[in-house]
């Protein structure tokens, strides 16, 4: 094993919530051990020694990157500047192999027949989203809904310890709640059938364990508050049963939503295959739950340029919008996907080096706790760079007029989180609208008066009123999608407010 080393995480402080696009830059370094395999797979130059050296910033005005891995045999860019050494390209999933819990087609009929004779557990829509997530390996090495020992490790340590002693990140409990009546109907059965909201059998849960669901503890430790108004809590926990049931999943067929978007729902296995097909030697993931504007695109395109400067030949962007449960005032998934497609059509992002896919996880809005889950899942999909913004997975406090989380804590936690050492992280500068150049650009403090920060609220106001944002803020095709969506909301509101006709 090597000596001490630094974890590098791609830190782009762009607020992906509908609020001001504010970027702060900071590199956090923590000691950990890098396996020799990670060094052997570095793609640029042969590694003969690894040292911690003070590195020259990528950006001249940015006093960052104080600690980076450098090789004794160093790579240089076209100007002769020494470049930071880099770790492996497509990294191994947690546990070494992707979990795939979908029953082979040849065994399906027998499993369906068996399930008919088992006690039944009815799933909610969000429960089905978690079945989808676990079945495809996003939570590898987890093989089902958590039993109590896994739940306690996740809740208290944000990680799971495997049989070989290795630790993998698992910051969110993935659990299934049942009520007293369901618990009684299960009795002493060892297996149960899981029914979707429409009553169809979608899975079998094997070797089950039932244990107490302490909601207050779960909420307090996951969100850091028990204040009323937390979206996921109100959707999936408050009215849930007082028991949790864990076990190993056997999913009878691939989860489909039949909403016209299933072709975007690529599994980790399918994504890795696509990365290989495109010859990717690095994958950088960008999660969002809002429309893409040109500031986001600037950051993503600049990331690729910097990876090329570091010696990668074909970095691929995974533009990965969240596709599970979101709060009511978020832009719906179908609208977001249409907007994202226009971004590629308008060549704001290069279709040849960008993969747009849906991440099927529900959204917790649990800040630093949840952002670890978002990063961990992308490791399993093969991404070795992860872009993290200001207040990732955060939201406004549900009761008080303030952010629920410190906006810098998400990226700080990622730099220290157990089990995320595989991720590479790079810093970024502030991006804002340059009123002189009439486009999104990196903020220049020497002419601060020329830059405009356009908040999410302002953007929504533009769309609702039909007013266009400044030229260069968002691609025209993508903007038209948003305007059409908000116009449809206004039309619907008008219909609901119109009084019914009174007959004579």
């Amino acid at each position: 094993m090597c000596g001490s080393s630094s974890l590098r995480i791609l830190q782009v402080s762009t607020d992906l919530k509908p609020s001001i696009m504010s970027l702060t830059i900071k590199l956090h370094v923590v000691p950990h051990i890098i396996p020799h395999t990670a060094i052997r797979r570095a793609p640029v130059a042969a590694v003969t020694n690894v040292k911690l050296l003070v590195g020259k910033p990528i950006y001249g005005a940015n006093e960052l990157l104080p600690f980076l891995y450098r090789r004794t045999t160093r790579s240089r860019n076209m100007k002769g500047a020494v470049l930071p050494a880099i770790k492996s390209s497509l990294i191994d999933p947690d546990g070494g192999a992707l979990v795939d819990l979908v029953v082979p087609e040849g065994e399906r009929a027998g499993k369906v027949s068996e399930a008919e004779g088992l006690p039944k557990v009815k799933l909610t829509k969000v429960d089905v989203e978690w079945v989808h997530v676990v079945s495809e390996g996003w939570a590898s090495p987890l093989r089902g809904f958590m039993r109590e020992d896994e739940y306690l490790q996740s809740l208290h340590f944000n990680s799971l310890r495997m049989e070989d002693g290795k630790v993998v990140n698992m910051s969110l409990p993935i659990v299934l709640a049942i009520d007293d009546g369901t618990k009684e109907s299960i009795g002493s059965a060892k297996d149960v059938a899981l029914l979707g909201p429409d009553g169809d059998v979608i899975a079998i849960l094997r070797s089950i364990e039932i244990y107490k669901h302490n909601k207050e503890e779960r909420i307090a430790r996951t969100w850091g508050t028990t204040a009323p108004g937390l979206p996921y809590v109100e959707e999936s926990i408050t009215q849930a049963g007082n028991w949790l049931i864990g076990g190993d999943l056997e999913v009878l067929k691939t989860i489909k939503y039949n909403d016209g978007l299933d072709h975007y729902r690529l599994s980790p296995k399918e994504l890795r295959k696509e990365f290989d097909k495109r010859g990717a030697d690095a994958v950088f993931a960008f999660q969002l739950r809002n429309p893409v504007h040109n500031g986001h695109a600037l950051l993503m395109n600049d990331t690729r340029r910097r990876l090329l400067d570091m010696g990668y030949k074909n970095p691929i962007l995974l533009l990965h919008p969240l596709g599970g449960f979101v709060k009511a005032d978020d832009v719906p998934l179908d609208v977001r996907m249409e907007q994202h497609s226009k971004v590629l059509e308008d060549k704001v992002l290069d279709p040849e080096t960008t993969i747009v896919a849906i991440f099927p996880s529900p959204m917790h809005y649990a800040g630093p706790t949840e952002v670890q889950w978002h990063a961990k899942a992308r490791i399993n999909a093969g991404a070795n760079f992860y872009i993290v913004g200001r207040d990732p997975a955060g939201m406004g406090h549900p009761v008080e007029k303030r952010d629920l989380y410190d906006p810098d804590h998400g990226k700080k936690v990622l730099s220290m989180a157990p089990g995320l050492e595989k991720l590479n992280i790079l810093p970024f500068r502030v991006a804002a609208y340059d009123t002189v150049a009439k486009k999104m650009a990196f903020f220049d403090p020497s002419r601060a008066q020329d830059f405009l920060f356009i908040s999410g609220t302002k953007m929504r106001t533009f769309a609702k009123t039909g007013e266009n944002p400044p030229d260069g803020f968002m691609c025209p095709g993508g903007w038209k999608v948003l305007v059409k969506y908000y116009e449809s909301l206004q039309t619907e509101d008008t219909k609901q407010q119109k009084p019914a006709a009174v007959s004579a």
Side-chain angles (χ1 to χ4, degrees):
M1 305 295 286
C2 288
S4 63
S5 58
S6 68
L7 168 63
R8 294 171 288 131
I9 298 179
L10 194 55
Q11 299 177 349
V12 181
S13 294
T14 174
D15 187 354
L16 300 184
K17 301 182 304 177
S19 59
I20 289 178
M21 182 184 174
S22 175
L23 300 172
T24 54
I25 311 168
K26 194 169 184 180
L27 180 67
H28 306 282
V29 181
V30 296
H32 67 275
I33 303 299
I34 288 191
H36 284 302
T37 54
I39 301 171
R40 285 199 299 267
R41 294 171 62 190
V44 181
V47 177
T48 57
N49 190 21
V50 176
K51 300 179 181 179
L52 276 176
L53 296 177
V54 176
K56 188 175 181 180
I58 290 179
Y59 299 117
N62 189 353
E63 296 182 2
L64 295 172
L65 307 184
F67 300 96
L68 283 173
Y69 293 116
R70 296 190 184 278
R71 302 177 180 84
T72 300
T73 303
R74 298 176 182 177
S75 301
R76 297 178 181 270
N77 64 14
M78 294 181 65
K79 296 181 180 180
V82 176
L83 297 173
I86 38 187
K87 288 180 277 184
S88 63
S89 51
L90 296 187
I91 55 180
D92 293 335
D94 283 345
L98 278 175
V99 167
D100 182 356
L101 304 178
V102 179
V103 172
E105 188 171 355
E107 301 176 18
R108 193 166 299 157
K111 301 286 186 182
V112 171
S113 178
E114 178 190 0
E116 295 298 332
L118 296 175
K120 308 296 192 296
V121 174
K122 187 75 173 288
L123 303 181
T124 67
K125 180 181 177 181
V126 172
D127 292 335
V128 174
E129 291 172 357
W130 281 123
V131 171
H132 183 183
V133 165
V134 176
S135 70
E136 291 187 341
W138 295 102
S140 295
L142 191 67
R143 301 190 63 85
F145 287 107
M146 291 178 176
R147 298 182 176 90
E148 188 173 30
D149 60 344
E150 296 166 322
Y151 170 70
L152 291 175
Q153 289 182 70
S154 174
L155 192 66
H156 291 272
F157 309 135
N158 286 357
S159 60
L160 298 177
R161 186 172 296 278
M162 297 186 294
E163 290 182 358
D164 62 3
K166 294 180 180 177
V167 171
V168 297
N169 193 274
M170 188 64 70
S171 62
L172 290 183
I174 299 179
V175 292
L176 177 60
I178 59 174
D179 58 24
D180 292 351
T182 302
K183 178 178 180 292
E184 184 176 349
S185 70
I186 292 172
S188 60
K190 297 184 182 301
D191 307 324
V192 297
L194 304 183
L195 307 182
D198 58 1
D200 290 344
V201 178
I202 65 171
I204 295 174
L205 197 63
R206 301 283 191 191
S207 303
I208 62 170
E209 177 185 355
I210 298 175
Y211 54 102
K212 192 68 177 175
H213 185 191
N214 186 334
K215 299 179 187 179
E216 183 178 27
E217 180 188 29
R218 178 184 173 190
I219 295 167
R221 293 199 67 89
T222 302
W223 282 269
T225 181
T226 56
L230 297 169
Y232 187 90
V233 171
E234 293 191 343
E235 176 73 18
S236 296
I237 298 181
T238 302
Q239 302 302 320
N242 294 321
W243 304 94
L244 297 175
I245 180 171
D248 297 327
L249 271 172
E250 292 181 358
V251 180
L252 301 184
K253 60 180 179 180
T254 302
I255 302 296
K256 298 292 184 183
Y257 299 82
N258 301 313
D259 57 358
L261 301 175
D262 282 330
H263 63 286
Y264 284 114
R265 294 185 174 94
L266 302 180
S267 69
K269 181 179 180 179
E270 290 169 329
L271 283 169
R272 285 174 174 266
K273 183 180 295 185
E274 183 65 23
F275 297 147
D276 286 341
K277 179 181 176 182
R278 298 198 187 196
D281 58 354
V283 176
F284 56 110
F286 191 77
Q287 166 167 308
L288 68 170
R289 64 175 198 273
N290 285 291
V292 174
H293 57 62
N294 288 353
H296 299 141
L298 172 68
L299 299 173
M300 289 182 270
N301 287 328
D302 195 62
T303 300
R304 188 170 195 277
R305 179 193 63 77
R306 295 170 67 199
L307 291 175
L308 290 169
D309 284 347
M310 291 172 67
Y312 288 107
K313 302 301 182 184
N314 188 27
I316 295 294
L317 165 64
L318 173 58
L319 182 61
H320 215 199
L322 186 135
F325 163 80
V326 293
K327 54 189 175 69
D329 60 349
D330 280 354
V331 178
L333 178 63
D334 60 337
V335 178
R336 286 184 278 133
M337 296 308 296
E338 183 180 0
Q339 195 269 348
H340 298 346
S341 70
K342 295 298 182 183
V343 170
L344 267 68
E345 285 181 19
D346 289 355
K347 302 298 177 65
V348 177
L349 295 173
D350 184 357
E352 296 298 318
T353 59
T354 303
I355 296 174
V356 181
I358 292 173
F359 177 45
S361 175
M363 187 75 189
H364 278 57
Y365 305 91
T369 298
E370 185 174 15
V371 73
Q372 296 174 66
W373 157 243
H374 293 165
K376 176 247 172 46
R378 276 37 180 254
I379 288 176
N380 285 331
N384 57 328
F385 288 86
Y386 184 74
I387 302 174
V388 58
R390 177 187 180 277
D391 196 19
M395 59 173 281
H397 194 285
V399 177
E400 304 172 16
K401 292 185 177 180
R402 62 178 178 86
D403 287 339
L404 183 55
Y405 307 105
D406 184 299
D408 291 328
H409 281 184
K411 60 189 176 190
K412 289 180 179 179
V413 166
L414 274 186
S415 73
M416 302 179 285
L420 296 182
E421 293 84 359
K422 302 176 188 179
L423 283 179
N424 295 275
I425 298 174
L426 297 170
F428 269 103
R429 298 179 295 173
V430 178
Y433 184 76
D434 187 334
T435 58
V436 176
K438 297 189 182 304
K439 65 180 182 179
M440 299 298 291
F442 290 119
F443 179 71
D444 182 356
S446 68
R447 54 185 189 90
Q449 71 279 0
D450 295 333
F451 286 86
L452 176 66
F453 290 89
I454 300 175
S455 69
T457 300
K458 184 68 173 177
M459 182 183 71
R460 291 194 299 275
T461 300
F462 283 148
K464 289 177 181 178
T465 60
E467 182 181 357
N468 289 324
D471 290 341
F473 173 73
M474 183 182 292
C475 68
W479 182 250
K480 288 179 182 178
V481 172
L482 292 186
V483 171
K484 180 180 176 182
Y485 165 65
Y486 282 110
E487 285 178 347
S488 72
L489 289 184
Q490 291 178 322
T491 301
E492 188 63 29
D493 288 344
T494 301
K495 289 180 180 179
Q496 292 178 358
Q497 293 171 7
K498 186 177 181 179
V502 180
S503 59

